[in-house]
Amino acid sequence: MASYHIQINTGAKGAALEHAQYIQREGRFTPERYGEVEARGSANFPAWARENPGEFWKASDQFERANGNAYREYELALPRELSRDQQIALVQRFAEQELGATRPYQWAIHAPMARDGKEQPHVHLMFSDRQLDGIERGPEQFFKRYNAQHPELGGSRKATYGANKQEAALVYEGIRERWARVQNQ
């Protein structure tokens, strides 16, 4: 029977590139030591990072404001009962539903062995709060503060999770409910 799990993480400035390398098994995070990536994907990166999402996370570490989140991540358990293709379709459906066509994201499925000797498939869905808006910005400008009166002069607008911890908790509860619904379907 499928096991429900969702963990929502945030990453501080300076941690994004290393985390992206971890989930993609790049750099010092070798597949020999950390396990293989079973499947991966990415979407919605600005032109300057489309071919190499690592460039985006590197820029986030460098240019995001000091107390801002460099990334967010959903770590989601995937049902063992589904084939790998079905797991991939599930991940893509949820990413498209939650992040749409404007939020840069990448994901990787890992499937280490669980205590019962079977796969423990899960996905790391890493994304930015910054939203694409059709204005081409270089890396430094992309992460500047948004300018509502002159968007072309400021950075990309960030998605918000509420004005306080109680509002954020309600937003996160909604995300968890939507994951349960997508997974059950």
Side-chain angles (χ1 to χ4, degrees):
M1 177 177 270
S3 156
Y4 175 83
H5 171 78
I6 178 173
Q7 181 174 319
I8 301 171
N9 304 313
T10 58
K13 180 177 178 171
L17 179 59
E18 183 173 52
H19 190 70
Q21 289 175 337
Y22 167 74
I23 69 172
Q24 296 295 323
R25 302 302 196 244
E26 296 171 344
R28 69 182 179 96
F29 301 100
T30 62
E32 296 78 26
R33 182 157 183 211
Y34 290 89
E36 296 290 332
V37 171
E38 301 296 324
R40 66 184 77 201
S42 63
N44 306 333
F45 284 95
W48 50 268
R50 205 162 288 139
E51 297 301 317
N52 182 1
E55 289 298 315
F56 181 86
W57 303 118
K58 182 179 173 184
S60 181
D61 283 338
Q62 186 176 0
F63 300 118
E64 187 61 75
R65 67 179 200 262
N67 62 347
N69 291 318
Y71 71 91
R72 288 186 193 268
E73 176 193 45
Y74 300 149
E75 187 178 320
L76 309 157
L78 298 171
R80 291 178 175 167
E81 298 82 4
L82 299 180
S83 70
R84 189 72 73 224
D85 287 342
Q86 290 171 319
Q87 291 171 347
I88 291 168
L90 178 64
V91 169
Q92 290 173 326
R93 180 175 174 196
F94 186 68
E96 290 166 6
Q97 171 188 298
E98 291 300 311
L99 305 173
T102 62
R103 310 251 314 268
Y105 67 87
Q106 72 182 88
W107 56 268
I109 294 176
H110 301 164
M113 286 299 142
R115 289 185 189 156
D116 63 4
K118 296 179 181 176
E119 278 191 347
Q120 183 180 355
H122 62 278
V123 65
H124 296 266
L125 174 58
M126 182 178 179
F127 59 96
S128 176
D129 288 341
R130 300 281 178 173
Q131 301 174 78
L132 301 179
D133 58 7
I135 299 171
E136 285 297 321
R137 297 175 175 90
E140 187 171 359
Q141 184 182 0
F142 191 89
F143 292 99
K144 283 187 174 184
R145 187 172 299 274
Y146 178 69
N147 183 332
Q149 292 185 336
H150 299 284
E152 71 282 358
L153 299 177
S156 294
R157 180 185 292 223
K158 288 181 128 180
T160 62
Y161 290 85
N164 56 47
K165 288 184 179 188
Q166 288 133 342
E167 287 180 20
L170 291 173
V171 170
Y172 287 157
E173 185 177 309
I175 293 165
R176 287 182 168 92
E177 287 173 8
R178 290 188 298 276
W179 170 243
R181 201 169 24 249
V182 166
Q183 184 181 17
N184 287 332
Q185 288 173 352

